[in-house]
Amino acid sequence: MAAAKSVVLVVISCCLIAASNGMNFPSFFPRDKFGGFPSFPAQNIFSPLMLGYYNRPGICKQNPEVIIQQIVNGSVAADRTLAAGLLRMHFHDAFVRGTEASVLLKSPNNDAERNAIPNLSLRGFEVIDAAKAAVEKVCPNVVSCADILALAARDSVVAIGGPWWPVPTGRRDGVQSHASETTDLPPPSANFTQLLSMFQKKNLDKVDLVALSAAHTIGRGHCGAFSSRIYDAAGNNAIDPTLDAAYANKLRGFCPPRDTVTTVEMDPNSSLNFDSHYFQAVLAKQGLFKSDAALLTDAGARSLVQTGASAPIIFKSQFGFSMTKMGKIGVLTGRPGEPPSQIRKQCAFVNP
């Protein structure tokens, strides 16, 4: 045992020395001044969000984060596929108006975000509603739907063996939701230039793009989202050359032409486990969407994909780092100059 630990320490030490000497040691993490991998950023005293916001004295009778985790754990235990649904919902919320729960709102005119085509397949609304109802019983009018969604996404990933990451809380809920604004969501047909531009507009970088793309390690995708890759790429009914031919033929077996209903695993044979297999699939030209294959068209992104495939611990750490970062997009905390916000009593409806 002692010898094994010594070997591990030597390997880590060598890697850190190589990194600090400027050697080509690919890593997701930005290197700190010591050449190592930084931990999650310390709480910024000027940040509008804070860790344990609801666990301060006098705020709630019970810690709402524990209640939310219990609801999520029970839901995911009953249906493991909900982890992908909750994670995707958080992503779709963050990229449109920020993490202020606009994706949860319903509209009598069916023109809210959840009515837009990219969101029609979102799943897990009932989990968020159940968590909100449970929290309201012990801490009424305090915990936002935006925080519940951010926490639920994290807890759902942990529930299937994925990484834990810190979720600072204190968000408020937005009061608007427009289907027309879902054009901010990166489409599965996007090329690398388009993807990077859309991420950069949200203050996310190339490392975040690659790390967060690996959310495709869980969940399923509709045939219509990739049909052009297996039937009519370039308009000649040929298979997309960036897709493995044998894999494409397998997909054809699941997805007849013009099928928009059937779903297939986004990460072949590993869609219920949060792991780094996604990167192995991408390198094998088995990324389901054009946006997955696009990661190999940029040298820096390709290097990160290779790192993710060979170093799952580094990937999982960076995934959590990027999720914490994404969770801070466009937050509302009631500061002067912000759009109107509130703590919704029901997540699907603005308070009267």
Side-chain angles (χ1 to χ4, degrees):
M1 181 69 71
K5 289 183 178 178
S6 297
V7 172
V8 172
L9 290 175
V10 169
V11 172
I12 294 175
S13 176
C14 290
C15 291
L16 296 183
I17 292 172
S20 63
N21 287 337
M23 296 176 64
N24 184 24
F25 180 70
S27 166
F28 276 109
F29 278 133
R31 298 177 184 119
D32 65 16
K33 62 182 179 181
F34 302 108
F37 304 135
S39 59
F40 290 101
Q43 178 67 40
N44 183 344
I45 61 173
F46 300 108
S47 171
L49 303 180
M50 63 181 295
L51 295 173
Y53 179 88
Y54 300 111
N55 204 29
R56 295 172 296 158
I59 301 298
C60 293
K61 293 184 293 185
Q62 297 180 37
N63 185 351
E65 293 195 23
V66 174
I67 297 172
I68 294 164
Q69 183 184 47
Q70 292 172 342
I71 296 291
V72 171
N73 285 350
S75 298
V76 174
D79 182 358
R80 197 174 175 89
T81 66
L82 281 171
L86 291 167
L87 180 59
R88 182 173 179 237
M89 188 186 297
H90 182 35
F91 182 93
H92 281 218
D93 184 48
F95 264 68
V96 182
R97 304 186 73 87
T99 52
E100 38 73 86
S102 55
V103 74
L104 302 177
L105 285 173
K106 291 182 178 180
S107 165
N109 300 318
N110 293 324
D111 58 359
E113 290 173 32
R114 64 193 290 169
N115 302 118
I117 291 176
N119 289 336
L120 292 178
S121 57
L122 288 181
R123 299 178 62 239
F125 291 103
E126 72 282 4
V127 180
I128 303 302
D129 290 339
K132 176 64 171 176
V135 167
E136 284 293 299
K137 291 179 180 178
V138 299
C139 196
N141 306 317
V142 173
V143 182
S144 69
C145 299
D147 279 342
I148 291 174
L149 178 52
L151 291 164
R154 189 270 311 277
D155 293 342
S156 69
V157 169
V158 173
I160 62 168
W164 180 93
W165 61 88
V167 179
T169 46
R171 298 168 184 81
R172 290 172 63 85
D173 300 321
V175 297
Q176 298 184 53
S177 184
H178 305 287
S180 60
E181 294 180 344
T182 56
T183 53
D184 282 355
L185 293 171
S189 60
N191 61 37
F192 187 81
T193 299
Q194 293 168 329
L195 287 172
L196 186 59
S197 175
M198 299 182 87
F199 272 68
Q200 288 175 335
K201 288 178 181 178
K202 306 300 178 182
N203 294 318
L204 300 173
D205 58 25
K206 184 183 295 187
V207 176
D208 301 315
L209 164 58
V210 175
L212 295 177
S213 292
H216 289 175
T217 192
I218 55 176
R220 303 176 68 86
H222 284 83
C223 294
F226 59 87
S227 61
S228 64
R229 304 191 72 200
I230 59 176
Y231 285 114
D232 55 354
N236 56 13
N237 202 36
I239 293 173
D240 184 338
T242 66
L243 188 64
D244 177 74
Y247 179 52
N249 284 325
K250 183 177 180 180
L251 291 175
R252 283 182 171 182
F254 293 118
C255 302
R258 294 175 294 280
D259 182 345
T260 61
V261 178
T262 304
T263 63
V264 300
E265 292 181 300
M266 290 192 290
D267 187 358
N269 303 315
S270 187
S271 66
L272 293 176
N273 299 308
F274 195 98
D275 52 32
S276 62
H277 184 264
Y278 165 82
F279 292 117
Q280 299 171 23
V282 170
L283 289 172
K285 298 172 63 175
Q286 293 181 4
L288 188 62
F289 306 123
K290 285 185 178 180
S291 58
D292 297 319
L295 301 181
L296 300 182
T297 63
D298 175 85
R302 175 186 283 269
S303 178
L304 292 170
V305 170
Q306 292 169 336
T307 300
S310 61
I313 294 177
I314 292 179
F315 152 61
K316 287 187 176 182
S317 295
Q318 179 59 46
F319 183 84
F321 190 93
S322 295
M323 286 297 297
T324 298
K325 189 175 175 182
M326 187 189 79
K328 296 180 180 179
I329 297 174
V331 295
L332 301 178
T333 58
R335 292 169 295 174
E338 285 185 354
S341 61
Q342 60 183 214
I343 304 298
R344 291 185 216 141
K345 297 181 183 297
Q346 297 182 60
C347 291
F349 304 100
V350 173
N351 299 340

